[in-house]
Amino acid sequence: MDILFAQIQADLRSNDALRQSSALLQALQQSAAGRDIAVIAKTAVEEIVAAPASAVCKKLAFDLIRSTRLSPDLWETVCSGIRNDLHFPDPDVAAAAVSILAAIPFYRLAKLISDCNKEISECFDSPNDNLRFSVTETLGCVLARDDLVTLCENNVNLLDRVSAWWARVAANMLDRADAVAKVAFESVGRLFQEFSTKRMSKLAGDKLVDSENSLAIRSNWVSSMVDIVWRKRRALMARSLILPVENFRATVFPIVYSVKAVASGSVEVIRKLSKTSSAGNGSDEVDSHAEKLVGVSDVVTHLAPFLVSSLEPALIYEVGINMLYLADVPGGKPEWASQSIIAILTLWDRQEFASARESIVRAVVTNLHLLDLHMQVSLFKRLLLMVKNLRAESDRMYALACICRTALCVHLFAKESVRRGQKPLPGTDIASLFEDARVNDDLNSITSKSIFREELVASLVESCFQLSLPLPEQKNTGMESRVIGALAYGTGYGALNWTEPALEVVEVCRPCVKWDCDGRTYAIDCYLKLLVRLCYIYDTRGGVKRVKDGASQDQILNETRLQNLQRELVKDLREVNTPRILARLIWAITEHIDIEGLDPLLADDPDDPLNVIISNIHKVLFNVDSIAETTNRVQDVQAVLISSQRLGSRHPRAGQLIIKELEEFRSNPLADSVSKHQCRLILQRIKYATSHQDSRWAGVTEARGDYPFSHHKLTVQFYEASAAQDRKLEGLVHKAILELWRPDPSELTLLLTKGVDSTLLKVPPTAITLTGSSDPCYVEGYHLADSSDGRITLHLKVLNLTELELNRVDVRVGLSGALYYMNGSSQAVRQLRGLVSQDPVLCSVTVGVSHFERCALWVQVLYYPFYGSGTVGDYEGDYAEEDPQIMRQKRSLRPELGEPVILRCQPYKIPLTELLLPLQLSPVEFFRLWPSMPAIVEYTGTYTYEGSGFKATAAQQYGASPFLSGLKSLSSKPFHKVCSHIIRTVAGFEMCYAAKTWHGGFLSMMIFGASEVSRNVDLGDETTTMMCKFVVRASDSSITKEIGSDIQGWLDDLTDGGVEYMPEDEVKVAAAERLRISMERIALLKAAQPRPKTPKSEDEDDDEEDDINKEKKDGEDEKRKGPSTLSKLTAEEAEHQALQAAVLQEWYMICKDRTTEVN
């Protein structure tokens, strides 16, 4: 291999262009094979890039540079080579030099662009097509990126140049050369895409925070491009038509985006953001609404022929998608959408565009509402089958959510149109829309391999629940406003109009109660929840209302349908195949069935609904062969007992049958002691209710319309595959439904409504100064963490504080802890050139994080005051005291650099909290997870706060208590606060937090706070010290070890320096001291002789006696009241009490463990 490399290097050094090009090709082959070719790259830079060579060799050398990593010195050589090549007489050589600009590192780019500004601008005017192509393509890639926007933000001259270049790129869309025109269209399209998605910046590895200025800069470019395209739209459309047909695709998006921006008014938004509205208004006032509409219509006419005549799938798709995008503007026509959708669906039939199946379906279902009603209905069944065949779950869910919403829209819209006197359209009701044979078979089969039917039922039901909520308010016109309009038109803004389609949904999905889904219950639970809600709304217990009761015809019809559905469900009870569902279905039916309306003559008929319900209650109670995987017997029995109590209290015949069943169950060994006691209580209640028939209220419980079952996320102890699948399905369905029904407003909408102070524009983190006040260079840095990639980027700003211009400054960044560089090197070097006095220069390094550990970046700045003077520093001192690395650096320096001045900065520490993410947990899950975490660390911290007397204690209920002042910064840290409230006691509090590390470990933290009341409580002195006990438990001992190694550092990370660590022995000493002082006081009080009392002390004494009397009275009151079994607590109070009990238990255990350790 060494021989081959030596041969390649020898060829590169020769002046023969043929040998050089073949050597470069060999080097590229070695690079593609994964070998390290840094040696060859160095030779290529020195012999070809920095020296005159042919255009082919230059291009190959630049390809070689892209495939390897160069040292900063070599990049410097490359930049000087580029500057020389731009003056080279051969335009192909200049074109190759321009093309490498996209690969130049961020920290060298600004300087190079500033130096070569004139040469780059001249490239646009070159008569050579190749050079114009190269400059348009390269600048189109570079100028749209985030890092360049940030450079422009800090450099006004650069901003002017870049803005001028964008205008030149736009002008090139009308260039005489086809290739140049095509690449100019692509560049403008890229700028538009980058404005909304930032895809290219992410690919370039940027981790930058958008500031107000950077957003304004990019908005300015976008609005100026939109104006140019809008003004020249006819010329651009004519130019695109004479391009070769394979290049036409690139021209579609920029024209459509600009025309849509002007027609829909979003360009006004962009102008407001760019802060140049005064300049832009003059040109825009001319465009009337009619002119905008004509502009859109022209573009549609320009694009439409390609949908029919083109043979290239990618072009049809591009044109179709963009026409759908236009169909949505105010004044758009349904035909534009239908043409596109038909063309896109034809692609599906031709099976030519298989890789884009998800995109095709998403495009169609998202824009379905733009079509007219006939077209929506005719496409519906076909779309359902297309969605069923999608592979990716998230795509399938989103498409299903769209289809379900469309079904509700169509149903409501058609119903309302008929009400308003229009001719009914067949097939618009939900039952007809979903009556496809294959979908029906899937819904009616008991077992099915596909999970699609569960997704369909869950999406339909969740869509109905969304429809029952108030529709989101629309502030802007666009795609969503049409859907909201159709729904509002259909529901007529009536509170209960949503129940009509919901009733259809319940009828269509009825077979789901018979399914056997391998233990999964989410879809069936959703269905039963909707059923119970509808029964409650229509009050099915009371039977069908009559006209003389004030019921409308629609209401009577709906109630009759619901009653019939209930009868059908009673028959289905015998065929339920999922054991857990049987008890839930019994609950749903018994709670709302109209028992009074049953025929008393059929009391002995086994098919009588009441008899069927009782026999199924028997089946659940005496289910012997139940195993934990398929049933939750305890819960099932509970549900059945409660529903039998409510049913038996309502009707005497039901009461008699249930009494018989429960007597039998009580005497059976299957019943545990709790169930037996419960049965006794239920029997007493039912007997009481039957014996007091006249007083209607006795024992009768009103239906509440709630469905008290769901699959709780108790992952720690009960792990079941079916429960995990249920949770996954629930997450997918909810995400898709919310994304569709309650979408987050776009960035532009947010910025417009809330202005630039919205949370979208994150404030860049506060920078930390790394140098001293008298240092010749000022260095400050801030970091941005990206948990998804496991990376941290440190952004440094270097400022030359000397009077000299420093020609060269090296910034070296070393690492400690869990950090590593992607290329495996131990340190990174950034070479900065030409630091003018007081002019800030930015640079950044990105590092990976391998595990949860304390880590820091160590910055060294080397600057060369004598660089380029040719003299070496004459100090030849003894380096023995220096570390060997510096000795090596000083000895190996090339003489022309001169002697460096080395400035060691203080380390930039990454807070441990940066490596955490919030972990969403319910309080129940938190307390289940807490004891199972093996690693634990405890410590005490203190902080002082302002406040006095009772007001300062945690027991204060309202207003901002000052006692949490030391912990207020916890809210901005990556922890999930487990309880919505702080659990308060008289002189303290308790808080629970949960988090997970970037690498999968779990971490839970409890903070117990106790106010240290001052010496004499009675005199109401100030209470200023809060003692906090921090208990941290983790899934891995390495996490707690890392926290325990520097507790004060961890506390500083958590509370931004608000809490001070107090070692355990100090805590004990302080406690002993307080005890000693209080004992001495008691002794003094006892020893003191009684004296004549002053009036003041009498008052005090009286107060004390009053307090004692009051306490006695309270105690007597409590004794008189006696024990009470009926709880009057609300759900929140109950949770509050349970958590308090758990906390006190935990505190007690900690104290007990500590005492045993001390002993």
Side-chain angles (χ1 to χ4, degrees):
M1 193 55 67
D2 293 342
I3 300 167
L4 176 64
F5 277 19
Q7 178 64 49
I8 291 173
Q9 283 172 293
D11 285 348
L12 289 175
R13 288 193 186 101
S14 72
N15 280 331
D16 183 353
L18 201 60
R19 282 178 67 190
Q20 284 179 331
S21 56
S22 66
L24 285 165
L25 284 168
Q26 274 187 301
L28 281 166
Q29 277 181 325
Q30 296 300 321
S31 171
R35 298 195 180 90
D36 182 14
I37 53 158
V39 194
I40 301 175
K42 185 172 184 293
T43 313
V45 168
E46 288 163 358
E47 300 298 333
I48 293 177
V49 177
S54 69
V56 173
C57 290
K58 290 275 185 191
K59 279 180 182 166
L60 290 170
F62 287 138
D63 285 340
L64 193 66
I65 287 171
R66 285 190 187 95
S67 69
T68 183
R69 289 173 182 276
L70 297 187
S71 68
D73 280 330
L74 285 177
W75 273 122
E76 203 54 50
T77 316
V78 170
C79 291
S80 61
I82 290 170
R83 279 198 296 273
N84 297 335
D85 286 347
L86 287 173
H87 293 291
F88 201 75
D90 181 357
D92 288 342
V93 171
V98 168
S99 71
I100 191 67
L101 281 176
I104 299 287
F106 162 63
Y107 53 88
R108 278 297 294 124
L109 194 58
K111 183 86 166 55
L112 184 63
I113 288 180
S114 305
D115 293 347
C116 305
N117 161 43
K118 186 163 154 288
E119 291 84 350
I120 292 173
S121 299
E122 283 167 1
C123 292
F124 280 110
D125 300 320
S126 164
N128 182 285
D129 293 350
N130 192 11
L131 183 49
R132 291 203 312 282
F133 173 86
S134 184
V135 74
T136 309
E137 181 183 44
T138 307
L139 290 183
C141 288
V142 175
L143 301 186
R145 284 200 330 227
D146 263 4
D147 51 2
L148 202 99
V149 178
T150 312
L151 285 174
C152 289
E153 196 181 340
N154 295 301
N155 187 333
V156 180
N157 297 336
L158 184 65
L159 175 59
D160 294 341
R161 283 170 198 146
V162 173
S163 301
W165 286 340
W166 269 121
R168 300 302 301 269
V169 169
N172 274 357
M173 289 193 284
L174 294 170
D175 194 274
R176 63 176 182 273
D178 287 345
V180 178
K182 179 211 170 193
V183 87
F185 273 113
E186 278 179 351
S187 299
V188 173
R190 208 174 280 127
L191 174 67
F192 292 156
Q193 275 175 329
E194 204 64 8
F195 186 56
S196 48
T197 63
K198 297 227 176 141
R199 182 166 165 269
M200 209 165 51
S201 300
K202 284 173 189 158
L203 286 175
D206 289 340
K207 302 281 179 288
L208 299 171
V209 174
D210 244 355
S211 69
E212 188 180 332
N213 292 342
S214 67
L215 199 82
I217 288 167
R218 189 176 263 146
S219 307
N220 196 0
W221 294 342
V222 170
S223 65
S224 62
M225 291 295 108
V226 166
D227 286 341
I228 290 170
V229 177
W230 174 250
R231 283 200 310 273
K232 299 184 178 176
R233 61 186 183 278
R234 290 189 178 85
L236 290 172
M237 287 191 280
R239 179 69 186 91
S240 67
L241 287 173
I242 55 172
L243 279 175
V245 73
E246 62 272 11
N247 292 353
F248 179 80
R249 198 169 132 220
T251 68
V252 177
F253 177 69
I255 294 176
V256 167
Y257 183 91
S258 304
V259 170
K260 166 101 184 242
V262 173
S264 63
S266 63
V267 72
E268 292 305 317
V269 181
I270 299 169
R271 279 204 194 102
K272 278 186 187 170
L273 290 178
S274 68
K275 301 181 181 161
T276 55
S277 49
S278 54
N281 275 354
S283 63
D284 195 56
E285 278 170 10
V286 186
D287 298 324
S288 64
H289 179 66
E291 190 166 343
K292 290 177 183 176
L293 203 55
V294 170
V296 176
S297 189
D298 285 349
V299 175
V300 171
T301 315
H302 161 69
L303 293 177
F306 289 91
L307 286 178
V308 187
S309 60
S310 174
L311 293 172
E312 187 193 353
L315 177 58
I316 294 176
Y317 180 71
E318 184 76 21
V319 171
I321 287 287
N322 281 290
M323 274 183 63
L324 284 172
Y325 187 62
L326 277 179
D328 197 37
V329 298
K333 298 175 183 170
E335 298 86 73
W336 300 349
S338 55
Q339 275 177 297
S340 312
I341 284 183
I342 289 167
I344 291 175
L345 289 176
T346 312
L347 283 182
W348 178 284
D349 293 341
R350 278 160 59 178
Q351 295 291 317
E352 283 182 34
F353 212 37
S355 58
R357 295 172 70 155
E358 276 81 8
S359 313
I360 287 176
V361 172
R362 199 176 180 105
V364 175
V365 295
T366 311
N367 296 288
L368 204 53
H369 59 273
L370 297 175
L371 304 174
D372 60 4
L373 215 54
H374 289 271
M375 183 93 173
Q376 289 187 35
V377 172
S378 60
L379 277 180
F380 201 83
K381 289 165 191 168
R382 183 176 171 194
L383 275 175
L384 257 179
L385 294 177
M386 285 167 72
V387 170
K388 189 177 176 181
N389 293 326
L390 288 183
R391 296 179 297 277
E393 283 175 332
S394 54
D395 287 312
R396 196 166 64 231
M397 287 304 172
Y398 185 78
L400 260 180
C402 286
I403 281 183
C404 293
R405 183 174 73 171
T406 304
L408 297 177
C409 257
V410 167
H411 178 95
L412 285 166
F413 197 85
K415 274 269 165 52
E416 185 62 23
S417 300
V418 171
R419 264 192 219 117
R420 296 187 184 193
Q422 293 178 19
K423 191 178 162 193
L425 183 69
T428 49
D429 57 318
I430 285 175
S432 312
L433 290 172
F434 288 97
E435 71 177 358
D436 180 76
R438 275 175 283 189
V439 174
N440 261 332
D441 290 348
D442 214 6
L443 284 175
N444 284 303
S445 66
I446 303 298
T447 53
S448 171
K449 292 286 177 224
S450 88
I451 203 169
F452 175 74
R453 60 185 190 166
E454 292 170 53
E455 296 168 350
L456 177 63
V457 168
S459 299
L460 262 173
V461 170
E462 292 291 354
S463 300
C464 289
F465 280 126
Q466 285 296 329
L467 189 61
S468 70
L469 299 171
L471 295 169
E473 192 181 332
Q474 279 307 114
K475 288 193 174 67
N476 59 331
T477 58
M479 293 184 135
E480 289 308 305
S481 57
R482 295 199 172 205
V483 182
I484 303 299
L487 292 174
Y489 172 78
T491 52
Y493 289 106
L496 288 184
N497 286 10
W498 71 273
T499 55
E500 286 191 9
L503 193 55
E504 294 252 351
V505 167
V506 172
E507 286 175 344
V508 168
C509 300
R510 182 175 68 85
C512 75
V513 294
K514 303 180 197 172
W515 289 350
D516 179 9
C517 301
D518 301 326
R520 293 186 299 274
T521 62
Y522 172 62
I524 312 175
D525 276 332
C526 281
Y527 173 79
L528 291 177
K529 196 190 293 182
L530 180 62
L531 175 75
V532 166
R533 178 81 62 88
L534 287 174
C535 291
Y536 175 67
I537 286 171
Y538 281 111
D539 185 25
T540 49
R541 271 190 179 192
V544 180
K545 314 298 175 295
R546 289 166 301 183
V547 179
K548 67 177 186 184
D549 298 331
S552 65
Q553 289 298 328
D554 281 349
Q555 186 183 343
I556 293 172
L557 182 67
N558 290 343
E559 290 194 7
T560 312
R561 282 167 69 183
L562 254 181
Q563 294 282 357
N564 294 339
L565 182 71
Q566 279 185 334
R567 303 283 167 93
E568 295 297 322
L569 282 169
V570 168
K571 289 177 190 168
D572 290 343
L573 274 172
R574 294 167 180 164
E575 300 170 50
V576 172
N577 285 289
T578 309
R580 268 180 204 186
I581 293 301
L582 185 56
R584 297 176 187 193
L585 185 56
I586 289 173
W587 166 278
I589 293 170
T590 54
E591 195 69 354
H592 295 279
I593 195 166
D594 174 23
I595 293 205
E596 305 292 337
L598 296 180
D599 189 345
L601 298 174
L602 296 175
D604 298 333
D605 183 5
D607 289 337
D608 178 59
L610 185 57
N611 292 338
V612 175
I613 290 170
I614 300 294
S615 65
N616 279 285
I617 288 178
H618 180 90
K619 188 174 163 186
V620 174
L621 291 178
F622 294 93
N623 182 8
V624 184
D625 56 335
S626 63
I627 47 174
E629 279 74 34
T630 56
T631 59
N632 184 345
R633 179 167 164 75
V634 176
Q635 190 193 49
D636 291 351
V637 168
Q638 279 300 309
V640 163
L641 288 177
I642 293 170
S643 42
S644 57
Q645 175 198 317
R646 294 164 79 100
L647 181 67
S649 311
R650 274 168 54 201
H651 194 260
R653 182 162 75 89
Q656 287 168 355
L657 293 169
I658 284 167
I659 287 171
K660 186 170 156 241
E661 288 296 335
L662 292 185
E663 292 285 7
E664 188 183 343
F665 179 61
R666 266 177 75 190
S667 55
N668 196 296
L670 278 172
D672 55 24
S673 57
V674 175
S675 303
K676 284 177 180 169
H677 283 299
Q678 202 170 353
C679 286
R680 185 170 59 82
L681 183 65
I682 291 170
L683 287 169
Q684 283 175 353
R685 284 182 176 177
I686 294 176
K687 283 171 184 168
Y688 181 82
T690 46
S691 60
H692 293 71
Q693 281 293 311
D694 299 334
S695 49
R696 286 295 301 134
W697 57 269
V700 174
T701 43
E702 284 304 313
R704 295 210 192 100
D706 60 346
Y707 176 74
F709 307 98
S710 70
H711 40 279
H712 286 299
K713 302 181 185 178
L714 304 177
T715 48
V716 184
Q717 292 185 356
F718 307 108
Y719 177 77
E720 301 162 25
S722 57
Q725 285 170 319
D726 264 341
R727 281 200 301 282
K728 182 182 174 188
L729 181 61
E730 181 181 23
L732 286 165
V733 170
H734 277 232
K735 183 168 178 256
I737 293 278
L738 286 177
E739 193 182 331
L740 187 69
W741 286 81
R742 315 267 170 215
D744 292 329
S746 67
E747 295 189 4
L748 293 178
T749 320
L750 271 179
L751 283 165
L752 255 194
T753 48
K754 296 188 180 173
V756 286
D757 53 273
S758 73
T759 51
L760 175 76
L761 288 178
K762 302 186 194 76
V763 182
T766 46
I768 295 168
T769 308
L770 302 177
T771 48
S773 54
S774 58
D775 287 330
C777 269
Y778 168 80
V779 183
E780 69 171 24
Y782 67 87
H783 73 277
L784 297 171
D786 182 5
S787 55
S788 56
D789 289 348
R791 293 180 187 178
I792 288 176
T793 306
L794 174 67
H795 293 272
L796 294 170
K797 183 197 282 183
V798 181
L799 187 67
N800 173 13
L801 297 178
T802 63
E803 296 299 318
L804 312 166
E805 179 180 347
L806 299 176
N807 288 324
R808 170 168 171 174
V809 173
D810 288 0
V811 179
R812 301 187 174 196
V813 184
L815 307 175
S816 64
L819 303 177
Y820 64 91
Y821 284 115
M822 310 300 163
N823 62 351
S825 60
S826 57
Q827 64 173 12
V829 181
R830 295 281 179 267
Q831 282 185 0
L832 312 173
R833 296 295 168 105
L835 264 72
V836 185
S837 178
Q838 304 296 331
D839 192 11
V841 179
L842 305 174
C843 63
S844 66
V845 291
T846 300
V847 292
V849 184
S850 58
H851 55 274
F852 184 80
E853 188 188 340
R854 236 170 259 286
C855 37
L857 296 109
W858 301 73
V859 181
Q860 256 185 21
V861 180
L862 286 79
Y863 67 97
Y864 301 85
F866 311 112
Y867 175 66
S869 61
T871 58
V872 187
D874 26 324
Y875 172 61
E876 292 293 329
D878 182 14
Y879 297 123
E881 294 174 13
E882 297 275 6
D883 59 339
Q885 183 194 355
I886 301 295
M887 290 237 336
R888 261 199 316 279
Q889 281 168 8
K890 287 189 175 177
R891 282 180 188 156
S892 64
L893 287 172
R894 289 189 282 179
E896 69 265 21
L897 291 178
E899 191 71 23
V901 176
I902 299 172
L903 174 65
R904 287 194 186 86
C905 304
Q906 68 180 34
Y908 186 95
K909 291 180 179 169
I910 305 291
L912 261 182
T913 48
E914 277 295 339
L915 308 181
L916 296 173
L917 292 168
L919 176 66
Q920 297 282 341
L921 280 178
S922 67
V924 176
E925 283 180 290
F926 179 83
F927 284 112
R928 278 183 180 279
L929 199 59
W930 178 258
S932 66
M933 297 225 183
I936 186 165
V937 59
E938 303 171 26
Y939 50 91
T940 305
T942 61
Y943 61 89
T944 54
Y945 62 94
E946 299 299 319
S948 60
F950 186 72
K951 276 190 180 177
T953 63
Q956 184 193 358
Q957 289 300 313
Y958 306 105
S961 301
F963 68 95
L964 278 178
S965 61
L967 300 173
K968 63 176 180 289
S969 56
L970 258 172
S971 58
S972 62
K973 302 297 176 201
F975 281 94
H976 170 65
K977 194 170 176 184
V978 173
C979 311
S980 54
H981 48 271
I982 299 152
I983 299 166
R984 296 171 171 186
T985 52
V986 174
F989 60 86
E990 188 269 349
M991 293 191 287
C992 308
Y993 291 95
K996 59 185 173 186
T997 67
W998 285 9
H999 307 91
F1002 293 109
L1003 182 141
S1004 309
M1005 179 167 70
M1006 283 195 197
I1007 305 174
F1008 303 93
S1011 252
E1012 284 299 309
V1013 184
S1014 55
R1015 306 277 162 85
N1016 190 343
V1017 185
D1018 294 337
L1019 298 176
D1021 284 355
E1022 291 213 339
T1023 308
T1024 55
T1025 311
M1026 179 65 79
M1027 298 273 290
C1028 291
K1029 177 84 181 172
F1030 290 79
V1031 186
V1032 179
R1033 297 190 82 145
S1035 57
D1036 187 5
S1037 57
S1038 63
I1039 298 173
T1040 48
K1041 185 181 170 190
E1042 203 52 49
I1043 291 169
S1045 63
D1046 178 10
I1047 289 175
Q1048 185 59 57
W1050 165 251
L1051 277 172
D1052 289 345
D1053 294 346
L1054 271 185
T1055 60
D1056 295 339
V1059 176
E1060 188 184 342
Y1061 170 57
M1062 196 172 178
E1064 202 62 32
D1065 48 354
E1066 284 185 32
V1067 176
K1068 286 174 185 166
V1069 168
E1073 179 67 17
R1074 281 198 306 280
L1075 182 66
R1076 186 182 65 74
I1077 289 169
S1078 56
M1079 294 298 283
E1080 282 176 5
R1081 284 199 175 149
I1082 291 166
L1084 281 169
L1085 286 169
K1086 283 181 178 173
Q1089 294 297 320
R1091 290 174 188 173
K1093 290 179 183 177
T1094 60
K1096 185 180 175 184
S1097 58
E1098 277 176 15
D1099 292 347
E1100 279 176 25
D1101 241 347
D1102 291 343
D1103 287 351
E1104 280 174 21
E1105 280 173 22
D1106 287 348
D1107 286 349
I1108 292 163
N1109 292 340
K1110 194 175 171 188
E1111 279 172 22
K1112 278 182 183 172
K1113 278 179 190 170
D1114 286 351
E1116 284 165 18
D1117 282 354
E1118 279 173 22
K1119 281 177 192 169
R1120 212 172 295 136
K1121 279 177 193 168
S1124 165
T1125 49
L1126 294 173
S1127 166
K1128 290 180 184 172
L1129 294 176
T1130 64
E1132 280 132 349
E1133 285 167 342
E1135 180 201 11
H1136 191 108
Q1137 283 196 357
L1139 280 170
Q1140 268 191 337
V1143 168
L1144 293 170
Q1145 174 69 12
E1146 184 67 33
W1147 181 254
Y1148 169 70
M1149 292 303 292
I1150 289 167
C1151 295
K1152 199 166 85 176
D1153 292 350
R1154 199 186 311 120
T1155 51
T1156 51
E1157 280 168 21
V1158 169
N1159 292 340

